[in-house]
Amino acid sequence: MKVIVLGAGLLGVTSAYYLQQLGHEVTVLDRQAAPAAETSFANGGQISVSHAEPWANPSAPVKVLHWLGQEDAPLLFRLRADMRQWMWGLEFLRECTPARTRHNIEQIVRLGMYSRAMLRELRRETGIAYDHRTQGILHFYTNTKEFEAALKPAELMRTLGCARQVVTADEAVRIEPALAHIRSRIAGATYTADDESGDANKFARQVVGLCRARTVTFLMSHTITALRARSGARADEIDHVEATDPDGRFQRIRGDAYVLALGSVSPLIAAPLGVRLPIYPAKGYSVTMPVKDESRAHQVSLTDDEYKLVYSRLGDRLRIAGTAELNGYDRDLNRVRCEAIVKRVEEIFPGAGDTGEAQFWTGLRPATPSNVPIIGRSKIPNLYFNTGHGTLGWTHSCGSGKSIARIISGLPPEVDFAFTRA
Ligand SMILES: Cc1cc2nc3c(=O)[nH]c(=O)nc-3n(C[C@H](O)[C@H](O)[C@H](O)COP(=O)(O)OP(=O)(O)OC[C@H]3O[C@@H](n4cnc5c(N)ncnc54)[C@H](O)[C@@H]3O)c2cc1C
């Protein structure tokens, strides 16, 4: 079958890889000159099955209200005259019940475990390298109440097979000695030895290399303007993708099947077909800086619960990422947020990184209200989804890519997950 993959981010390139493996003729379209140049460019670098607690949980409504208007809040709703944002907010509230939270954690953990296993298999089979580390993820808490609140979700994750162990502050420092500086402030921690970290952008580019070597075509600098149905009727088959090429010329690109993997742009391209996707951009920040003092720098990937920041070690660089701002498609760097991240890094690992050389970046997470991605069939027979991966797009990429490739091929997915129209 000829399959057109829309988007060359982490989800698009992994879809292309697995589709090619199943014998399809694959073409990937992207508006950028290089793959993984948008949200998949400089993320937190965690393969974190353990990071499965969704933003929408029973304690979220009070916290979100409290954070309204706070420039450095971990999750900030900037209320706009934007119907999509309000609808998303209402659906987010509906996902905050204990039953929905439990259901969502189950989906996120199951897909995460499968995906991590597929990532390992891919690495084993192809030998790709991307500054990856397999030293686990340590999630530390500097607030006792938050630590206590995390014990129940951690227990649920363990029952689902994710070995997220509770550890003391001393054990946390033994796992990551660079935390010794704040030992007295650590209320507790969890450690998931099977989790991993690495450079997601390098990973995506390596996968593109594998795809190209296996005849996948990448049409870069092609901006998709529309998906056109065969007869113009709403739920009819897709006939072609309309895109402008690097010279600005309109092109019609045809396939037998189409995978929508446009990250936070997905709902905008799907809407004219009468397909509503509950995805809203959640802007996040990352800071990358060279290691200045090796003895003070972290090696293990970390999650700083109080500030909702993640820290990864990418070769001789430190990557720190986090915060979420729901403010439409704006990607501006907010100085307050950048400074807040650098201040926190200096507080925890003073002198570890060269802050003078820090590079700042923002990306738009394609967030669903439940944090559960949208993968599977659409109501249009030859249109498939692999989008809405929010905070865990890299963690879930191999499992999602392989699953959508199997669904398109008429094979059953290998993971028990709430695929659309399964
Ligand atoms: C600050 C931050 C930290 C994060 N940390 C982690 C982490 O530690 N671990 C983890 O698992 N996940 C993390 N994530 C989430 C992860 O990075 C995303 O979920 C993932 O990158 C989304 O990939 P995607 O392919 O869906 O979207 P994208 O990477 O945005 O890809 C979509 C592609 O579509 C293209 N496109 C869009 N519109 C058009 C158009 N009209 N025509 C043609 N092409 C178009 C874009 O150019 C882009 O390349 C983080 C995200 C952020 C922002």
Side-chain angles (χ1 to χ4, degrees):
M1 217 191 304
K2 184 168 181 193
V3 186
I4 312 292
V5 177
L6 312 175
L10 281 159
L11 278 304
V13 302
T14 47
S15 302
Y17 176 80
Y18 288 105
L19 280 161
Q20 190 282 329
Q21 283 227 315
L22 286 175
H24 299 288
E25 183 190 336
V26 185
T27 300
V28 184
L29 292 179
D30 200 288
R31 65 184 172 190
Q32 297 290 345
E38 296 204 2
T39 312
S40 304
F41 186 69
N43 76 12
Q46 291 192 332
I47 293 293
S48 45
V49 179
S50 57
H51 204 121
E53 198 177 8
W55 286 343
N57 61 63
S59 68
V62 172
K63 281 188 193 162
V64 170
L65 274 179
H66 171 75
W67 286 330
L68 277 181
Q70 263 185 43
E71 276 305 319
D72 57 352
L75 177 57
L76 176 62
F77 265 90
R78 275 191 207 282
L79 296 176
R80 301 158 55 97
D82 175 354
M83 189 54 129
R84 284 188 51 231
Q85 188 199 41
W86 284 76
M87 292 283 288
W88 191 96
L90 283 176
E91 286 178 49
F92 176 86
L93 285 178
R94 277 206 294 270
E95 297 294 338
C96 288
T97 64
R100 289 302 303 164
T101 305
R102 189 188 162 90
H103 170 268
N104 294 335
I105 291 178
E106 282 170 8
Q107 305 306 315
I108 294 167
V109 171
R110 284 205 291 258
L111 182 60
M113 294 213 309
Y114 171 66
S115 206
R116 193 177 57 197
M118 291 307 104
L119 169 70
R120 287 182 182 156
E121 189 178 286
L122 176 66
R123 204 165 54 217
R124 224 176 19 249
E125 286 176 355
T126 64
I128 59 169
Y130 44 88
D131 289 332
H132 55 277
R133 286 176 179 245
T134 52
Q135 289 160 286
I137 293 182
L138 182 71
H139 191 136
F140 66 92
Y141 297 79
T142 42
N143 177 312
T144 307
K145 244 172 88 183
E146 293 294 335
F147 173 58
E148 283 164 0
L151 298 179
K152 226 171 139 186
E155 190 188 329
L156 172 59
M157 290 174 209
R158 284 195 298 279
T159 63
L160 294 167
C162 168
R164 184 174 172 188
Q165 305 300 337
V166 178
V167 297
T168 64
D170 285 334
E171 282 166 334
V173 174
R174 216 169 299 132
I175 294 164
E176 177 45 78
L179 282 175
H181 177 71
I182 58 150
R183 157 69 191 83
S184 59
R185 286 164 54 195
I186 299 178
T190 65
Y191 180 56
T192 314
D194 289 335
D195 275 344
E196 303 189 354
S197 61
D199 186 331
N201 184 262
K202 272 192 187 168
F203 166 82
R205 285 186 280 128
Q206 295 271 342
V207 174
V208 170
L210 296 171
C211 286
R212 284 198 164 122
R214 296 169 193 193
T215 71
V216 173
T217 304
F218 284 82
L219 296 179
M220 304 309 295
S221 305
H222 278 65
T223 300
I224 297 156
T225 47
L227 284 171
R228 298 289 181 202
R230 213 172 286 287
S231 65
R234 280 200 145 192
D236 211 344
E237 283 216 320
I238 303 294
D239 180 66
H240 63 270
V241 186
E242 207 174 81
T244 49
D245 72 10
D247 299 321
R249 281 190 298 256
F250 261 106
Q251 301 285 347
R252 287 176 166 186
I253 298 149
R254 285 197 166 82
D256 303 306
Y258 300 82
V259 180
L260 187 65
L262 293 173
S264 49
V265 178
S266 304
L268 308 185
I269 295 291
L273 298 159
V275 174
R276 189 188 155 269
L277 292 171
I279 295 172
Y280 198 78
K283 180 166 82 172
Y285 284 71
S286 79
V287 181
T288 309
M289 55 179 106
V291 172
K292 193 165 84 183
D293 182 343
E294 188 62 57
S295 66
R296 292 163 179 255
H298 62 273
Q299 303 274 348
V300 174
S301 189
L302 305 166
T303 300
D304 174 356
D305 192 79
E306 192 173 340
Y307 281 68
K308 306 280 181 262
L309 291 176
V310 303
Y311 304 65
S312 288
R313 181 67 186 265
L314 310 177
D316 56 4
R317 296 166 297 150
L318 304 178
R319 167 75 50 78
I320 304 95
T323 82
E325 196 177 321
L326 287 105
N327 187 25
Y329 286 81
D330 159 51
R331 276 193 59 193
D332 266 6
L333 280 169
N334 175 328
R335 186 169 285 278
V336 176
R337 283 191 175 259
C338 295
E339 284 168 5
I341 297 174
V342 172
K343 190 165 162 244
R344 180 65 171 175
V345 178
E346 273 297 284
E347 199 181 310
I348 299 189
F349 304 113
D354 187 348
T355 53
E357 293 291 317
Q359 291 184 337
F360 300 98
W361 170 84
T362 61
L364 302 175
R365 299 179 189 87
T368 61
S370 60
N371 278 38
V372 177
I374 302 168
I375 311 163
R377 299 172 188 282
S378 75
K379 66 180 185 185
I380 297 175
N382 60 348
L383 177 65
Y384 297 83
F385 302 129
N386 194 6
T387 189
H389 290 71
T391 50
L392 290 178
W394 187 29
T395 305
H396 287 161
S397 61
C398 289
S400 305
K402 189 164 185 189
S403 298
I404 200 64
R406 288 183 66 84
I407 292 169
I408 291 173
S409 308
L411 300 168
E414 297 171 330
V415 54
D416 178 11
F417 176 80
F419 293 103
T420 57
R421 296 185 168 240

